[in-house]
Amino acid sequence: MSVTTLYKRIFIVSLIIGILLAALQFGNLLGNDPAFVWICWGFFSLITPFVLGLAAMSNKTSTAGKAVYVVLGAMALKFVFCLLMILLYILVAKPETPRFILPFFPFYIIYGVIETQYLLQMVKYDNPTIKPKDTTK
């Protein structure tokens, strides 16, 4: 899968999620901290293509063993950036209750599933040294 196709698919998914969020906000259904919901959406819409692009660039030069480290490193990088984003929001916005964090988890899961799927596709298809198992035995 090309990186351009990957970016287009992530853009489409993010656009659909953004439209859904706009509809929820129109109905006042985003909770007490709608700004945090939009920050999460923007954050994941930007960090996911960044991490996948980084993994795609480094995967081209990786051996089969290093491909696993690329995937784990990309996911660890995203996790660290998530923690920083939450800490910055706490320091700047000073939310009244810890319930502000609840919208973060669906975003983390949705974009995590997408990211994992694409990272595994990159490792499987872009790395010619990894061969599928022979299941005919």
Side-chain angles (χ1 to χ4, degrees):
M1 173 186 311
S2 73
V3 177
T4 306
T5 304
L6 177 68
Y7 288 151
K8 285 179 186 177
R9 288 182 180 178
I10 292 171
F11 175 77
I12 290 169
V13 168
S14 293
L15 185 64
I16 291 169
I17 292 172
I19 291 169
L20 178 64
L21 289 177
L24 288 172
Q25 184 163 0
F26 183 72
N28 268 347
L29 299 173
L30 284 184
N32 294 337
D33 289 308
F36 184 70
V37 175
W38 285 106
I39 289 170
C40 286
W41 174 75
F43 174 79
F44 282 107
S45 295
L46 294 175
I47 195 75
T48 301
F50 171 74
V51 169
L52 291 176
L54 184 65
M57 286 188 309
S58 62
N59 195 33
K60 298 289 185 192
T61 61
S62 296
T63 63
K66 290 183 182 177
V68 173
Y69 292 121
V70 169
V71 171
L72 292 175
M75 295 185 88
L77 183 66
K78 178 184 143 196
F79 182 74
V80 169
F81 282 143
C82 286
L83 289 175
L84 289 174
M85 186 262 308
I86 292 169
L87 288 174
L88 280 173
Y89 184 79
I90 290 171
L91 291 174
V92 172
K94 296 180 180 26
E96 295 176 10
T97 66
R99 291 180 49 162
F100 81 94
I101 194 91
L102 293 177
F104 171 81
F105 296 108
F107 284 111
Y108 191 84
I109 291 169
I110 291 168
Y111 282 97
V113 167
I114 293 168
E115 183 178 292
T116 303
Q117 176 190 3
Y118 290 139
L119 285 171
L120 290 175
Q121 284 179 2
M122 276 190 257
V123 170
K124 184 177 178 183
Y125 297 116
D126 289 346
N127 198 330
T129 59
I130 297 176
K131 299 188 182 0
K133 286 185 176 181
D134 184 15
T135 58
T136 59
K137 293 180 183 181

